[in-house]
Amino acid sequence: MLPSPANWSVQIHGYTTLTVSTISQLLEANRAVDLVRHPGSFIISATRASTRETYIITSAYGAINYFYAVQNQQFYHASTVAEILEQSRIPFRWNISALVDLFSLDHLTGNASPHRDVHRTPAGSVLHFVNSSLQTTILSWSDLHPETGPADPDRAADLFAAETARFAGPDPVLSASAGFDSRLLLAALLHAGLRPRLLVAGSPESTDRIVTEQIARHYNLPITPVELTHRDFPSVANTVTRATNGTKTAYHWHTYLYPHLGHLSLSDRLLVGANGEFARTYYLDRGILSRAFDFLPAKPLALQFWKRKILISRVFREGFKHLKPELADALANSHVAEPEKIWSLNPDRSLLRHFDQTYLSERVRHVITNGLTLYSLSAMPITPFLSTGWVSEIDRLPRYWKFGSRWHRHAIARLQPSLLNFLEQGTTGPMRRTPKPFYWRRKKMPTVNLYDRDGLFRDNDFLSLLPAHADALSEIADPDWIRQVVAEHRSTEKETRFIANFLPLAVWRSNLS
């Protein structure tokens, strides 16, 4: 029997089956680690004034932004770096290693933040601050994914459907598109007897909107289309950059805009396809060709892959003299240091499994979680692809199922086969039950994107944000040089990547107290 709660003040960020009473009882029984394994995607913070202790518990994949710092024997924690700095008055110091990640990969890695003394809570972890010191427990992959015998694609589909139904609520909203993840979520909702409202971004000519409207008509589902324009972006810069600590590149601010403009409320449950790529081979989906690489030594291949993947903007390479020496030196060495760093985060004997693990632990944790953070400003994002049961099953499936969206096709056919009748993105026909032979070599049909990204980076009001805030980056770069780069981009349109990286950092840093 669990002891009674003893004055724990508990906050839950995200969603879980846990109650405040159960959380308090498990903490009182010194069983905080048990909380990590519970269903959902969450951060739990619990404090007890009588013993001056704090727990931070992070669910399995850490797909919610939460940060902490220890300063002068005090423990600070919050959803943003700005809040930590406001609480603690810690002096500002750029995290140069994190900036190199951002400029190389468009996202951070590990548990870094842009501030050297503020850290992201680790995935699958318990932080316990007591007696003026911090104790950290991080659960291993095997702790969270115990072996249960051979994997089964049908069981994976059933686990996914059950997770979707468990957390969708009675009136779900689906972030809809023409893609596989969105369609599988809809299949699971319809399978459960739920009729979601479809929220779709794009102009009337965009592929996502055309396909989603066809689906809505067929199933008689309510639909809310949201058309984004360049005018929408500049006004949300402060909100987006504060929520994502300046690390959400300016390409992707639409993940805040379309839920915000879609008339959602914080009580709405918004189903999103975060981590659906775990059931594919995200970084190298080339069928049997990819499988052949798995028979070769993984590390040399991985290092070569990441070296090619790292894209330092041309203007950086030509402008190192305009950067502060520490950042210039780190960027100059990034083609060697970054691949080694990425490999060390998820070393594996198999190249493709290294890619799987890196996708989940780095891209999902940083790129996609930033998107989930922006969704959460308008609604409660629900992420069934981040269920530990589903991830365990998919992780153990033969690689055969992870090429060409084979498992997604199978699961849609199992849960709602009529959804296969609608256009498969990048083709001219309905979704196939299996991928075509040599699918990776076939020319894909062009799609119309949900907004005009190139046009955004020609928009005067949007581009003007960076020169206006350039002085805030004087600790890492010459502000006049930044303004010069933007001026050159206005005529050449060649510095989109530089602006996408630097603009959010500049707006964010200028708003820090």
Side-chain angles (χ1 to χ4, degrees):
M1 181 180 294
L2 293 173
S4 300
N7 301 318
W8 288 101
S9 175
V10 176
Q11 287 189 321
I12 302 172
H13 307 263
Y15 64 93
T16 176
T17 55
L18 290 161
T19 65
V20 169
S21 176
T22 300
I23 292 166
S24 300
Q25 290 174 341
L26 287 169
L27 294 179
E28 196 63 20
N30 294 316
R31 291 170 54 188
V33 168
D34 292 351
L35 295 168
V36 177
R37 298 186 178 93
H38 274 263
S41 182
F42 54 83
I43 295 282
I44 297 168
S45 65
T47 59
R48 184 163 61 180
S50 61
T51 54
R52 300 180 63 186
E53 63 183 310
T54 299
Y55 279 99
I56 307 294
I57 298 101
T58 304
S59 57
Y61 309 115
I64 294 179
N65 277 334
Y66 208 75
F67 301 87
Y68 71 93
V70 178
Q71 184 84 351
N72 298 324
Q73 298 185 320
Q74 298 293 313
F75 186 59
Y76 303 96
H77 57 97
S79 295
T80 66
V81 173
E83 292 172 89
I84 299 278
L85 300 181
E86 290 160 3
Q87 293 171 17
S88 65
R89 315 306 298 179
I90 295 172
F92 190 86
R93 296 200 303 164
W94 285 106
N95 183 342
I96 299 301
S97 176
L99 293 180
V100 174
D101 287 341
L102 185 64
F103 299 150
S104 302
L105 302 166
D106 285 345
H107 63 82
L108 273 54
T109 65
N111 301 317
S113 89
H115 192 290
R116 192 173 298 184
D117 301 318
V118 180
H119 312 285
R120 176 101 175 264
T121 56
S125 69
V126 175
L127 305 184
H128 185 201
F129 188 78
V130 64
N131 298 326
S132 300
S133 66
L134 181 64
Q135 304 164 10
T136 301
T137 303
I138 302 176
L139 275 68
S140 68
W141 182 268
S142 59
D143 290 332
L144 294 166
H145 309 89
E147 291 289 341
T148 56
D152 182 338
D154 288 340
R155 186 163 62 241
D158 294 342
L159 285 167
F160 179 81
E163 181 80 0
T164 302
R166 177 188 304 188
F167 289 113
D171 298 301
V173 181
L174 172 63
S175 177
S177 72
F180 282 93
D181 297 339
S182 167
R183 203 165 309 183
L184 179 52
L185 281 167
L186 179 56
L189 291 167
L190 294 174
H191 181 78
L194 296 168
R195 296 180 55 76
R197 170 157 66 104
L198 306 183
L199 177 69
V200 60
S203 68
E205 298 78 29
S206 69
T207 306
D208 284 342
R209 185 163 164 183
I210 289 170
V211 174
T212 300
E213 288 178 339
Q214 290 172 350
I215 290 172
R217 285 194 297 271
H218 179 83
Y219 294 100
N220 194 27
L221 297 174
I223 182 170
T224 302
V226 177
E227 188 166 356
L228 303 179
T229 70
H230 301 162
R231 294 187 301 275
D232 299 318
F233 285 76
S235 64
V236 303
N238 291 337
T239 299
V240 169
T241 57
R242 180 179 174 90
T244 58
N245 310 296
T247 64
K248 184 70 168 175
T249 56
Y251 299 124
H252 302 301
W253 291 5
H254 62 277
T255 51
Y256 169 72
L257 277 166
Y258 79 87
H260 173 67
L261 298 174
H263 309 297
L264 301 180
S265 72
L266 293 176
S267 62
D268 283 321
R269 297 202 159 206
L270 179 64
L271 280 289
V272 296
N275 196 46
E277 293 284 359
F278 192 76
R280 302 185 185 93
T281 304
Y282 177 74
Y283 291 110
L284 195 63
D285 185 358
R286 295 292 185 272
I288 194 170
L289 294 181
S290 297
R291 191 72 183 94
F293 283 116
D294 251 7
F295 293 98
L296 301 173
K299 183 176 180 179
L301 291 173
L303 294 180
Q304 285 300 312
F305 176 87
W306 293 117
K307 186 174 181 179
R308 291 174 177 270
K309 194 78 173 174
I310 289 167
L311 297 173
I312 299 295
S313 170
R314 175 190 61 81
V315 75
F316 276 130
R317 294 194 300 270
E318 296 176 358
F320 284 153
K321 64 183 178 183
H322 300 290
L323 301 174
K324 297 301 180 182
E326 185 180 4
L327 177 57
D329 291 345
L331 280 171
N333 191 47
S334 62
H335 67 290
V336 174
E338 283 292 293
E340 288 282 357
K341 179 179 181 178
I342 299 166
W343 169 259
S344 70
L345 292 168
N346 292 286
D348 200 283
R349 286 177 295 179
S350 160
L351 176 68
L352 299 185
R353 196 161 188 279
H354 161 73
F355 287 155
D356 293 343
Q357 296 294 311
T358 300
Y359 172 76
L360 178 55
S361 73
E362 307 308 320
R363 187 166 181 83
V364 169
R365 275 251 299 156
H366 294 280
V367 177
I368 293 176
T369 294
N370 268 344
L372 296 175
T373 297
L374 296 179
Y375 287 141
S376 72
L377 300 180
S378 302
M380 169 68 75
I382 305 297
T383 53
F385 289 107
L386 285 167
S387 155
T388 53
W390 179 82
V391 168
S392 293
E393 204 72 18
I394 293 297
D395 183 54
R396 292 181 293 110
L397 280 178
R399 184 60 57 177
Y400 166 87
W401 286 99
K402 302 176 188 179
F403 292 133
S405 299
R406 186 180 297 272
W407 179 81
H408 279 71
R409 300 170 193 273
H410 175 84
I412 292 168
R414 179 176 176 83
L415 299 175
Q416 193 70 31
S418 58
L419 280 171
L420 294 172
N421 296 331
F422 298 92
L423 180 73
E424 178 178 332
Q425 193 171 35
T427 73
T428 58
M431 187 174 286
R432 292 169 52 92
R433 286 177 177 261
T434 59
K436 290 183 177 180
F438 304 104
Y439 61 89
W440 65 92
R441 295 184 59 188
R442 294 177 180 271
K443 184 178 181 180
K444 291 188 176 182
M445 297 298 295
T447 59
V448 179
N449 293 324
L450 57 88
Y451 78 99
D452 179 9
R453 191 176 81 174
D454 292 338
L456 175 65
F457 282 84
R458 291 192 294 267
D459 183 81
N460 182 64
D461 290 342
F462 184 72
L463 291 178
S464 295
L465 287 170
L466 182 49
H469 295 88
D471 288 337
L473 298 179
S474 61
E475 299 142 315
I476 57 173
D478 178 359
D480 289 335
W481 170 67
I482 294 172
R483 295 186 181 98
Q484 178 186 341
V485 172
V486 176
E488 292 173 356
H489 173 82
R490 290 180 186 275
S491 59
T492 66
E493 299 184 9
K494 291 183 177 180
E495 306 305 340
T496 299
R497 182 180 172 86
F498 176 91
I499 293 167
N501 288 153
F502 257 43
L503 190 155
L505 289 173
V507 175
W508 176 71
R509 180 68 182 96
S510 69
N511 287 322
L512 294 178
S513 57

